[in-house]
């Protein structure tokens, strides 16, 4: 083999080696990119799992921290519209305020058992829904309000101080914590003696 032929063979071998190196580098680079993407995905998944675990731990702590709130809420907000109990509590508050007797305590008309006529002309008897007389409280799901009207007529007028004490007692009572309307009627002969009409809201969570 002469020197020229050996030169061409050597050049060919070097070229093949160069191409092989380039191809190997490309494959290795693709493999590294794939591994890198895989590692990035695993890291993202790990971060998501860690975040979920942290959220779960926080949720468990909050459940443990606020587990007694439901019981407290039930003890604060009545679960039924026991009108007899409401009247009894209001009468007791009036007595404690120096008002021996209220003229009247009334509730909205109930549709329970009411007889109506359907568009087809059939007679319909109202159902036994425990939500009759109740209005939903806006923004508070599952909580309703029952309006109660308390009247003290002029022939049973009370002193203004007695009225104020009664009002404070009502606002501190769990059933009658909100007074929505007050109408006062002072006595013409004795302005310190007043008759009044109160509309209060009893909140209920059936």
């Amino acid at each position: 083999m002469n020197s020229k032929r050996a030169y061409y063979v050597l050049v060919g071998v070097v070229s093949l080696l160069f191409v092989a190196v380039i191809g190997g580098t490309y494959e290795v680079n693709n493999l590294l990119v794939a591994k890198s993407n895989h590692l990035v995905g695993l890291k993202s998944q790990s971060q998501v799992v860690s975040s979920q675990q942290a959220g779960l731990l926080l949720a468990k702590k909050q459940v443990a921290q606020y587990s007694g709130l439901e019981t407290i809420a039930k003890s604060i907000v009545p679960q039924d519209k026991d009108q007899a109990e409401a009247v009894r509590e209001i009468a007791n508050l009036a007595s404690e305020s120096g008002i021996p007797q209220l003229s009247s305590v009334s509730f909205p008309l109930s549709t329970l058992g009411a007889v109506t006529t359907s568009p087809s002309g059939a007679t319909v008897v109202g159902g036994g829904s425990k939500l009759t007389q109740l209005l939903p409280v806006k923004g508070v799901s599952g909580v309703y309000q029952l309006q109660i009207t308390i009247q003290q007529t002029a022939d049973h007028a009370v002193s203004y101080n007695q009225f104020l004490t009664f009002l404070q007692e009502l606002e501190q009572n769990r059933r009658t914590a909100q007074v929505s309307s007050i109408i006062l009627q002072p006595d013409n002969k004795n302005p310190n003696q007043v008759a009044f009409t109160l509309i209060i809201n009893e909140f209920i969570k059936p």
Side-chain angles (χ1 to χ4, degrees):
M1 178 183 296
N2 56 33
S3 59
K4 189 173 184 180
R5 188 182 179 97
Y7 171 76
Y8 286 130
V9 171
L10 184 59
V11 169
V13 171
V14 170
S15 297
L16 289 173
L17 288 174
F18 181 75
V19 171
V21 169
I22 294 297
T25 302
Y26 178 77
E27 291 298 328
V28 169
N29 183 65
N30 286 342
L31 181 61
L32 290 174
V33 169
K35 290 294 183 182
S36 176
N37 291 336
H38 181 65
L39 289 174
V40 169
L42 290 177
K43 187 175 181 180
S44 298
Q45 290 178 359
S46 176
Q47 290 176 343
V48 169
V49 170
S50 297
S51 177
Q52 290 176 341
Q53 288 177 339
L56 181 60
L57 289 175
L58 179 60
K60 286 182 177 179
K61 288 181 180 179
Q62 290 178 339
V63 167
Q65 181 178 359
Y66 300 112
S67 60
L69 284 183
E70 183 179 1
T71 302
I72 295 173
K74 287 181 179 179
S75 66
I76 293 175
V77 182
Q79 295 178 271
D80 58 74
K81 54 171 187 172
D82 188 339
Q83 295 182 2
E85 179 62 26
V87 171
R88 187 160 44 248
E89 287 187 13
I90 292 170
N92 288 338
L93 294 176
S95 178
E96 292 171 3
S97 305
I99 303 174
Q101 184 177 357
L102 293 170
S103 298
S104 68
V105 178
S106 58
F107 300 85
L109 292 176
S110 172
T111 58
L112 186 63
V115 178
T116 57
T117 302
S118 69
S120 63
T123 300
V124 179
V125 179
S129 173
K130 60 183 179 181
L131 301 182
T132 179
Q133 301 174 287
L134 303 181
L135 297 173
V137 177
K138 293 181 179 179
V140 186
S141 177
V143 177
Y144 298 82
Q145 66 182 30
L146 172 66
Q147 285 191 343
I148 305 174
T149 302
I150 305 172
Q151 286 187 315
Q152 191 72 352
T153 58
D155 54 339
H156 293 96
V158 299
S159 71
Y160 185 67
N161 287 336
Q162 288 173 326
F163 167 74
L164 286 181
T165 301
F166 180 49
L167 191 62
Q168 292 172 354
E169 293 287 342
L170 287 173
E171 291 178 335
Q172 293 174 6
N173 181 266
R174 74 186 185 101
R175 284 187 179 270
T176 59
Q178 184 185 58
V179 177
S180 62
S181 175
I182 300 175
I183 300 176
L184 280 179
Q185 297 174 322
D187 186 274
N188 291 330
K189 297 180 180 179
N190 185 2
N192 187 51
Q193 295 293 111
V194 296
F196 60 82
T197 299
L198 296 175
I199 297 178
I200 61 180
N201 292 323
E202 175 184 358
F203 294 100
I204 299 167
K205 186 174 175 60

